[in-house]
Amino acid sequence: MGVALPRKEMFDIPEGVIYLDGNSLGVLPIGAAERATEVIRDEWGGQLIKAWNTAGWMALPTEVGDRIAGLIGAPAGSVATGDTLSIKVYQALAAALKMRPNRRVILSDNGNFPSDLYMAEGLIKTIDKGYALRTPAPEDVLAEITEEVAVVMLTQVDYRTGRMHDMDAITRAAHAAGAVMIWDLAHSAGAVPVDISACNAEFAVGCTYKYLNGGPGAPAFIYARPDITLDLEPALSGWLGHAAPFAMEQAYRPAMSTERLRVGTPSIVQLSILQEALKVWEGVDMADLRAASIALSETFIHEVEARCPTLTLASPRDAARRGSQVSFAFEHGYPAMQALIARGVIGDFRAPNIMRFGFTPLYLDQAEIVRAAEVIEDVINNEVWRDPKYHARSRVT
Amino acid sequence: MGVALPRKEMFDIPEGVIYLDGNSLGVLPIGAAERATEVIRDEWGGQLIKAWNTAGWMALPTEVGDRIAGLIGAPAGSVATGDTLSIKVYQALAAALKMRPNRRVILSDNGNFPSDLYMAEGLIKTIDKGYALRTPAPEDVLAEITEEVAVVMLTQVDYRTGRMHDMDAITRAAHAAGAVMIWDLAHSAGAVPVDISACNAEFAVGCTYKYLNGGPGAPAFIYARPDITLDLEPALSGWLGHAAPFAMEQAYRPAMSTERLRVGTPSIVQLSILQEALKVWEGVDMADLRAASIALSETFIHEVEARCPTLTLASPRDAARRGSQVSFAFEHGYPAMQALIARGVIGDFRAPNIMRFGFTPLYLDQAEIVRAAEVIEDVINNEVWRDPKYHARSRVT
């Protein structure tokens, strides 16, 4: 049994807001702003270049990686942090393809986050040796895992619908066919229990600004299974993945650890904020978190369906097949979401018609979910969304 | 004529420190910590996901890119920001190689920053089609530019010695041989006048935590010559380089602008600090800056050579062939630098024997340079560096 949830006192959330978008950008943890000020004023300003040693900046990426490792069932030392998730996808995929030099198929699915597919496309064009990217429907992935497949690359939790792949079953099938497995945990880390070691996948990648509350542009992470690490050939072989970065050798010699998956100079301010943000996980039992997440989302589905017959559930009804989010399809989803946001119920919209709501048991309770459903009822049933002011298109939500 | 230099009042520098390492990590601009707090508390904490629109986060990478463009003689809209410099090197090189599909040689030099060479190595192994990386001595580069060469990739100012390549002459030679030119401006941007448009190189890349004072881990930048932008094939084709990132299309379709060289979610906190830091350049005339930089470094060379005959100048004596740093070779350079740092004169050490001093006319004056030379005289001539406490090896300086 872990600490009691929610732990609202550890976050700074605006009054009157019911935040159901922690699956896109997590909220501000108490202490994050203070930590940033400390890093900027005392470490950068006060210690200048010396801070790389005196303030522990050199060790920061690994320390943060170890904290993330603890949340995804990975051993200490197996997670490298830095860059963006797209870059980490590219790294994992490039390294995985090198492990299966005689195969030419990358298998993903058409529910994967577009950037993962785009990065695969870019890598395929860069290598230019006839690789193919296959993207069947998520439910057809298992059947498509053949002995042609070099790499299976999937996002566990679908960013639009919350549909969750069975990591263990798919990884087993990939391995049975001789393929390498890469899991994108963008909507999993901090959202659902993950045991990447038990799953036995070769790689996992993820971002930290969603359920891990690292802030806008927080660095990404990459996990490599310890037994393969020392054989990995880094495509993005930057100096901070070198065995001896400050020896300034002419030739690349990869670090004899997961650090070979680091690339350039780490974003110290953002990493420090993330390090602070990860403290809220101390004492949290992921099984408790999952139970609370399911309770919140079940309440939400029940309340919204009872009130709004024009909304269609776009997520799996079975909680076991769903991540920590619930989506409803609605033709006028875009203006409806703008109207909700104007009323303090913040979710987001994903084209073409998905209204997306994320559940973060660290800072949400049941009463808020019921209240959110009431606001949704008002916006949908009273057609509040018809107001022209909710139809102006912005770029993000 | 621009504003008067130095502008010390715009920076927060510790009392008693003479900072000659702005070529490694620039100092803290006044306002940077406040800006970070504002972004974290008011924008992230207060506006949450909406801040991508309401706080202008979506536009931030381009706005910052435009400010950098102004410092390197590039037109607005031609500089993309984000990632690390190593990633930007990879992007430029991968795109450049695609522009010369029938050539197989990448020409750099053995004075280039190792990470640039490492990234080229990684790309060569990833493509695996017999590309060769040649690294002659810097003075032999011009002679090595042949019609075999696909890309010439050089850092203008040598990170160890400050030796400066003639960008115009080398770019002309590269183009005459049919090669694509990439300049790494890591030690140039904010240090020496750069006119990338006049130089006519296809690409430039750089970092912003040195002379641009963006803070530890500040994002990098990449310039592409406007006439080639729409033909570039991005190897790192992330969603924020897509023509319509939020349309969530399955296939990559590059933005019809320099934004195609963006990759993943931008590091908003670090970008905001950088944006604030770039304000100190308002009104600065780069010719004035260069004149002040030369005056500081000439004083430094004169004072140090007059006092310390055991130090050997490792930088070009001709100021016109030198960037904004001066290096001395000294067998005991490592402990000597530690002793200097302990006395408040902060430079850095680069293996095997280089004591490196950077000159940043924005916040250094002549009196500090003379004072620094006095401290160096004491440390070298009185063999203060023999004290065992200065011999412990740390990872960075």
Side-chain angles (χ1 to χ4, degrees):
Chain A
M1 224 19 215
V3 295
L5 296 174
R7 325 182 77 178
K8 293 193 191 204
E9 71 286 0
M10 303 193 82
F11 300 93
D12 188 355
I13 302 172
E15 280 292 314
V17 162
I18 301 176
Y19 196 63
L20 305 178
D21 209 13
N23 53 316
S24 186
L25 176 68
V27 300
L28 172 62
I30 295 284
E34 291 73 8
R35 180 72 191 117
T37 301
E38 211 171 73
V39 170
I40 295 170
R41 273 195 206 288
D42 304 344
E43 300 181 2
W44 171 21
Q47 301 169 47
L48 292 162
I49 189 68
K50 293 181 287 184
W52 284 103
N53 303 309
T54 53
W57 291 353
M58 280 312 298
L60 190 56
T62 303
E63 283 173 17
V64 172
D66 284 348
R67 280 199 178 251
I68 294 168
L71 294 173
I72 61 170
S78 65
V79 172
T81 56
D83 306 302
T84 65
L85 175 50
S86 293
I87 294 291
K88 284 341 203 185
V89 166
Y90 188 92
Q91 276 188 305
L93 189 55
L97 292 179
K98 286 281 183 190
M99 294 168 67
R100 296 296 180 270
N102 299 319
R103 297 186 179 201
R104 286 290 177 273
V105 175
I106 300 164
L107 179 64
S108 187
D109 70 34
N110 65 18
N112 204 347
F113 187 68
S115 201
D116 293 30
L117 304 179
Y118 302 162
M119 293 306 288
E121 242 191 86
L123 178 60
I124 286 171
K125 284 185 190 154
T126 299
I127 299 176
D128 191 23
K129 285 184 180 169
Y131 281 92
L133 172 64
R134 292 188 189 157
T135 56
E139 57 274 22
D140 297 332
V141 164
L142 267 179
E144 296 260 355
I145 299 176
T146 64
E147 299 202 344
E148 286 179 301
V149 174
V151 182
V152 182
M153 176 186 83
L154 296 168
T155 298
Q156 186 195 12
V157 178
D158 187 296
Y159 75 105
R160 273 182 303 214
T161 65
R163 173 203 43 73
M164 196 158 58
H165 275 304
D166 182 337
M167 282 177 64
D168 291 338
I170 291 179
T171 304
R172 271 196 307 273
H175 289 171
V180 176
M181 186 74 225
I182 302 173
W183 285 107
D184 181 340
L185 303 177
H187 295 266
S188 308
V192 297
V194 174
D195 188 341
I196 196 71
S197 296
C199 154
N200 206 32
E202 283 83 354
F203 297 96
V205 294
C207 63
T208 63
Y209 45 76
K210 298 177 183 291
Y211 296 89
L212 300 181
N213 309 302
F221 66 85
I222 183 167
Y223 158 87
R225 207 176 62 196
D227 64 298
I228 64 167
T229 303
L230 300 189
D231 296 319
L232 296 181
E233 291 183 38
L236 302 175
S237 42
W239 71 311
L240 288 180
H242 193 281
F246 293 94
M248 304 289 168
E249 296 171 6
Q250 290 273 304
Y252 182 72
R253 192 159 57 84
M256 296 305 281
S257 71
T258 312
E259 292 206 0
R260 69 175 60 191
L261 295 173
R262 288 178 56 186
V263 185
T265 304
S267 58
I268 293 301
V269 180
Q270 305 253 188
L271 264 172
S272 300
I273 295 169
L274 173 59
Q275 186 183 38
E276 189 67 29
L278 291 172
K279 290 184 183 169
V280 304
W281 293 94
E282 279 164 24
V284 173
D285 182 313
M286 290 304 289
D288 292 350
L289 184 101
R290 177 65 171 157
S293 158
I294 290 175
L296 293 169
S297 58
E298 294 282 282
T299 299
F300 186 76
I301 293 170
H302 175 79
E303 293 287 334
V304 172
E305 287 193 326
R307 294 162 194 268
C308 309
T310 53
L311 297 190
T312 308
L313 183 66
S315 299
R317 192 165 294 279
D318 177 3
R321 296 187 48 240
R322 209 166 61 213
S324 202
Q325 64 170 80
V326 167
S327 298
F328 284 96
F330 180 53
E331 189 188 346
H332 308 287
Y334 182 83
M337 185 55 76
Q338 303 313 308
L340 287 176
I341 291 171
R343 280 156 185 74
V345 174
I346 303 182
D348 62 21
F349 172 79
R350 283 293 175 264
N353 65 347
I354 295 291
M355 297 176 72
R356 201 169 68 148
F357 303 93
F359 300 93
T360 46
L362 289 180
Y363 52 85
L364 280 175
D365 61 32
Q366 290 279 339
E368 287 173 294
I369 300 305
V370 175
R371 175 73 194 127
E374 289 166 2
V375 176
I376 293 169
E377 177 181 13
D378 174 47
V379 164
I380 302 297
N381 295 3
N382 296 324
E383 301 194 350
V384 170
W385 53 265
R386 289 202 183 274
D387 190 321
K389 73 181 170 199
Y390 299 128
H391 292 252
R393 288 275 167 167
S394 61
R395 287 191 64 175
V396 182
T397 52
Chain B
M1 222 24 213
V3 295
L5 296 175
R7 325 181 77 179
K8 292 192 190 205
E9 72 286 0
M10 302 192 83
F11 300 93
D12 188 355
I13 301 172
E15 281 291 315
V17 162
I18 300 175
Y19 196 61
L20 305 178
D21 209 14
N23 52 315
S24 186
L25 175 68
V27 300
L28 172 62
I30 295 284
E34 290 74 7
R35 180 72 189 116
T37 300
E38 211 170 73
V39 171
I40 295 170
R41 273 195 205 289
D42 304 344
E43 300 181 1
W44 171 20
Q47 301 170 47
L48 292 162
I49 190 68
K50 294 181 286 184
W52 285 103
N53 304 309
T54 53
W57 292 353
M58 280 312 299
L60 191 55
T62 303
E63 283 173 17
V64 172
D66 284 349
R67 281 199 178 249
I68 294 168
L71 295 173
I72 61 169
S78 66
V79 171
T81 56
D83 306 304
T84 64
L85 175 51
S86 294
I87 295 291
K88 287 337 204 186
V89 166
Y90 188 92
Q91 276 188 304
L93 189 54
L97 292 179
K98 286 280 184 191
M99 294 168 68
R100 296 294 181 271
N102 300 320
R103 298 186 178 199
R104 286 291 177 274
V105 174
I106 300 165
L107 178 65
S108 186
D109 69 35
N110 65 18
N112 204 346
F113 187 68
S115 201
D116 292 29
L117 304 179
Y118 302 161
M119 294 306 288
E121 242 191 86
L123 178 60
I124 285 171
K125 284 185 190 153
T126 299
I127 301 176
D128 191 25
K129 285 184 179 169
Y131 281 93
L133 172 63
R134 293 189 188 157
T135 56
E139 57 273 22
D140 297 331
V141 164
L142 267 179
E144 296 260 352
I145 300 175
T146 64
E147 298 201 345
E148 286 179 300
V149 175
V151 183
V152 181
M153 176 186 83
L154 296 167
T155 297
Q156 185 195 13
V157 178
D158 186 297
Y159 74 104
R160 273 183 303 214
T161 64
R163 173 202 43 74
M164 197 158 57
H165 274 304
D166 181 336
M167 283 177 63
D168 291 337
I170 291 179
T171 304
R172 271 197 306 274
H175 289 170
V180 176
M181 185 75 225
I182 301 173
W183 285 106
D184 180 339
L185 303 177
H187 295 266
S188 308
V192 296
V194 173
D195 189 341
I196 196 71
S197 295
C199 156
N200 206 32
E202 284 83 353
F203 297 96
V205 294
C207 63
T208 63
Y209 45 75
K210 298 178 183 291
Y211 296 90
L212 299 181
N213 308 303
F221 66 85
I222 183 167
Y223 158 87
R225 207 175 62 196
D227 63 298
I228 65 167
T229 302
L230 299 189
D231 295 319
L232 295 181
E233 292 183 38
L236 302 175
S237 42
W239 71 309
L240 288 181
H242 193 281
F246 293 93
M248 303 289 167
E249 297 171 5
Q250 291 273 305
Y252 182 72
R253 193 159 57 85
M256 296 305 280
S257 70
T258 310
E259 292 206 1
R260 69 174 59 190
L261 295 173
R262 288 179 56 185
V263 186
T265 303
S267 58
I268 293 300
V269 180
Q270 304 255 189
L271 264 172
S272 301
I273 295 169
L274 173 58
Q275 186 183 37
E276 189 67 29
L278 291 172
K279 291 184 183 168
V280 303
W281 293 95
E282 278 163 25
V284 173
D285 181 314
M286 289 305 290
D288 292 349
L289 184 101
R290 177 66 171 157
S293 158
I294 289 175
L296 292 170
S297 59
E298 294 282 281
T299 299
F300 186 75
I301 292 171
H302 175 78
E303 293 287 334
V304 172
E305 288 193 324
R307 294 161 194 269
C308 308
T310 53
L311 298 190
T312 309
L313 183 65
S315 298
R317 192 166 292 280
D318 176 3
R321 295 189 47 240
R322 211 168 57 216
S324 201
Q325 65 169 80
V326 168
S327 298
F328 283 96
F330 179 53
E331 189 189 345
H332 307 287
Y334 181 83
M337 186 54 77
Q338 303 314 308
L340 287 177
I341 291 171
R343 280 157 183 75
V345 175
I346 303 182
D348 63 20
F349 172 79
R350 284 292 176 261
N353 66 346
I354 295 290
M355 298 176 73
R356 200 168 68 148
F357 303 93
F359 299 95
T360 47
L362 289 180
Y363 51 85
L364 280 175
D365 61 32
Q366 290 279 339
E368 287 173 294
I369 299 305
V370 175
R371 175 73 194 128
E374 288 166 2
V375 176
I376 293 170
E377 176 181 14
D378 174 45
V379 163
I380 301 297
N381 294 4
N382 296 324
E383 300 194 351
V384 170
W385 54 265
R386 288 200 183 275
D387 190 323
K389 73 181 170 198
Y390 299 127
H391 291 252
R393 288 275 167 166
S394 61
R395 288 190 66 176
V396 182
T397 51

